[in-house]
Amino acid sequence: MQKPTLSEQAYARLQHDLLTGVFESGEKMQPQALQERYGLGTSPIREALLLLSRDGLVRSQGQRGFRVAELSRVDLLDITRARQQIEAALLRDAIEHGDEDWGAQIVAAFYKLTHTPVPSQGDADSKRRWETAHSQFHFALFDAAQSGWLRRLDEQLVLNSERYRHTPINGKLPLAMTERDMEKDHRELMDAVLARDADRACALLMIHIEETAAVVGPHL
């Protein structure tokens, strides 16, 4: 496997820290401080910031540099509504075109998700494993969709939605997210998809996407 370039390393590390709340909403990204933090030079850091501005995680201010994109209830609701529309279209597309291999991929992703322990508060490693399994399950649902553009747009929306999921709210967010019967919710969604019941599957998906906004929104 080819070793990541310095710019790719800077992008991956900055993205991780932005998504997990290391930087505050609206915080100015000081290039010198970032270079010292990550042990990388000016060019990789700047290239990473430009890519992250394209993702919507930071905002370019021209000659004044970059700031962390601000979190807001309006932005979260906008992301939520956009995801609902795009993912409903993706799911219908996948249900129409998916074959047996696609169905088997969903079942395998569900098995992995349900056999990955829901993390306890403060356990970063188990939280990362569960989040990875959770993302893989949802991407498996759309894997048979034919629209590359919709999938790329959805990846960007999911990335920004994840930032809200990890917003520090004094422990309230992890608790609220894990109080629900996650296995039941995902099983019902999987069963509807495999039964090719597009209307029910999309309705369940809409509710699932709404959860982050319902939990985090009141605290913004």
Side-chain angles (χ1 to χ4, degrees):
M1 183 179 295
Q2 189 174 3
K3 184 179 179 180
T5 65
L6 293 178
S7 296
E8 289 170 339
Q9 293 178 45
Y11 173 78
R13 294 172 68 182
L14 267 166
Q15 183 194 78
H16 174 270
D17 287 350
L18 285 162
L19 292 179
T20 54
V22 171
F23 299 103
E24 294 184 6
S25 172
E27 180 178 344
K28 185 171 177 60
M29 307 296 282
Q30 302 286 354
Q32 185 173 348
L34 294 175
Q35 291 170 46
E36 293 174 357
R37 177 183 180 87
Y38 300 110
L40 295 168
T42 303
S43 294
I45 293 295
R46 178 162 182 80
E47 288 177 26
L49 289 170
L50 287 170
L51 290 173
L52 291 163
S53 67
R54 180 198 63 186
D55 292 339
L57 296 176
V58 302
R59 303 283 186 237
S60 173
Q61 297 183 302
Q63 297 300 316
R64 293 179 295 166
F66 298 85
R67 286 188 181 275
V68 178
E70 293 190 2
L71 299 172
S72 72
R73 188 179 302 182
V74 171
D75 182 57
L76 175 57
L77 292 176
D78 191 18
I79 291 170
T80 300
R81 299 295 175 259
R83 277 190 65 191
Q84 287 178 320
Q85 293 181 50
I86 288 176
E87 292 192 12
L90 278 171
L91 193 56
R92 289 183 183 277
D93 187 357
I95 289 172
E96 179 181 353
H97 295 98
D99 57 14
E100 293 83 359
D101 289 338
W102 167 69
Q105 181 183 351
I106 294 172
V107 173
F110 176 77
Y111 180 89
K112 182 176 181 180
L113 175 60
T114 55
H115 286 76
T116 302
V118 176
S120 59
Q121 190 171 333
D123 188 343
D125 288 338
S126 63
K127 183 176 182 180
R128 183 163 51 249
R129 288 193 296 272
W130 189 88
E131 290 287 355
T132 298
H134 184 247
S135 296
Q136 289 173 345
F137 171 75
H138 280 273
F139 283 128
L141 296 176
F142 309 134
D143 198 56
Q146 302 294 295
S147 176
W149 273 109
L150 285 179
R151 291 174 69 173
R152 285 191 289 272
L153 289 170
D154 186 52
E155 286 174 4
Q156 185 174 1
L157 288 166
V158 169
L159 189 66
N160 282 271
S161 180
E162 284 301 296
R163 185 168 169 236
Y164 283 93
R165 281 174 56 86
H166 295 290
T167 300
I169 307 178
N170 299 322
K172 295 176 184 176
L173 178 56
L175 178 60
M177 287 295 188
T178 56
E179 279 179 341
R180 300 175 58 256
D181 189 341
M182 299 296 282
E183 181 172 343
K184 176 177 178 291
D185 291 351
H186 287 107
R187 183 182 294 279
E188 288 179 349
L189 177 56
M190 177 184 69
D191 288 346
V193 170
L194 296 180
R196 310 282 176 161
D197 188 342
D199 289 342
R200 175 167 169 74
C202 287
L204 291 169
L205 184 62
M206 297 304 96
I207 295 170
H208 193 75
I209 294 171
E210 190 81 36
E211 290 163 8
T212 298
V215 174
V216 182
H219 299 278
L220 293 173

